[in-house]
Amino acid sequence: MKKFLLIIMVFICVSSIAQHKEKDKELSTQAENIKKKLSLDNKTEHLVYNVLYHVKTRIADIPLGHANYEKLVSYVNDEKVGMMKALMSVSKYKEYENLFGAADKQQIATILAKNTEHVKKYGILSEKITSADIEDNSFLKNGENETTEGSETDDTENINENPNKEK
């Protein structure tokens, strides 16, 4: 019985280690720096790391060249501000803004500059045909028809021509 319990315990330990995600070193260092400068506890540092990770992944999910890139990045930045305000007291957040506000604005400016460079090089992403454009046929020029040669019959005609076909 002891061996069985020991095997189960080993299996649980190994599986929990395998599922552990490695932290982003840059974000971890940034969260640790915020913790030191603001005298935060470990739990708040972990929550700050989660906010930073969330912001990084959300911005990375926005494709460069998107027509509303600046607006979407602004929304993500507003989310970050709201989450940081929720994590910290008013005085701690003001201190955070004083110490890290300029760096945050510079980081956003750098991200937007990458997008601007991408747009100059490749153009705006929304000008290309997307699957949503194909569905509403907005990419077709005036006067063009959606149907192609040989596809002018619809399913109701086919059903009427073949009365033995099951509905």
Side-chain angles (χ1 to χ4, degrees):
M1 183 68 171
K2 287 182 182 180
K3 288 182 181 179
F4 180 73
L5 289 174
L6 182 62
I7 291 171
I8 290 174
M9 293 298 289
V10 169
F11 177 76
I12 291 172
C13 290
V14 169
S15 65
S16 68
I17 291 171
Q19 292 177 356
H20 179 68
K21 255 190 203 178
E22 188 171 322
K23 285 189 169 184
D24 184 317
K25 292 183 191 290
E26 177 186 341
L27 296 180
S28 183
T29 304
Q30 191 176 355
E32 193 174 303
N33 189 22
I34 292 170
K35 174 190 172 190
K36 287 178 184 175
K37 299 262 180 167
L38 300 178
S39 304
L40 301 174
D41 60 354
N42 289 337
K43 182 178 180 180
T44 307
E45 177 195 6
H46 178 72
L47 295 173
V48 167
Y49 171 84
N50 287 342
V51 168
L52 297 174
Y53 184 80
H54 171 78
V55 169
K56 181 178 180 178
T57 55
R58 288 284 308 261
I59 290 175
D61 287 343
I62 304 169
L64 286 174
H66 190 281
N68 295 321
Y69 190 86
E70 290 180 25
K71 185 187 290 187
L72 296 172
V73 169
S74 171
Y75 290 156
V76 173
N77 191 42
D78 291 345
E79 286 178 7
K80 177 183 178 183
V81 169
M83 289 186 282
M84 292 298 244
K85 283 182 178 179
L87 291 177
M88 301 176 199
S89 66
V90 174
S91 61
K92 289 287 184 185
Y93 183 75
K94 285 182 180 178
E95 191 177 343
Y96 170 80
E97 275 295 312
N98 290 335
L99 293 172
F100 300 101
D104 287 349
K105 289 178 183 174
Q106 180 60 39
Q107 183 181 20
I108 296 296
T110 303
I111 291 168
L112 294 176
K114 284 182 186 178
N115 181 58
T116 303
E117 191 64 34
H118 185 331
V119 168
K120 285 180 183 176
K121 193 171 186 178
Y122 299 107
I124 296 176
L125 187 62
S126 66
E127 291 178 352
K128 299 174 183 164
I129 298 173
T130 64
S131 61
D133 294 330
I134 292 170
E135 289 173 4
D136 73 0
N137 298 324
S138 64
F139 70 96
L140 294 175
K141 295 178 185 173
N142 292 340
E144 286 186 22
N145 192 347
E146 177 182 359
T147 60
T148 57
E149 291 183 78
S151 65
E152 294 178 8
T153 60
D154 63 358
D155 291 337
T156 57
E157 290 176 344
N158 291 337
I159 292 172
N160 292 337
E161 290 177 358
N162 189 356
N164 296 330
K165 189 174 181 180
E166 290 184 19
K167 293 183 182 179

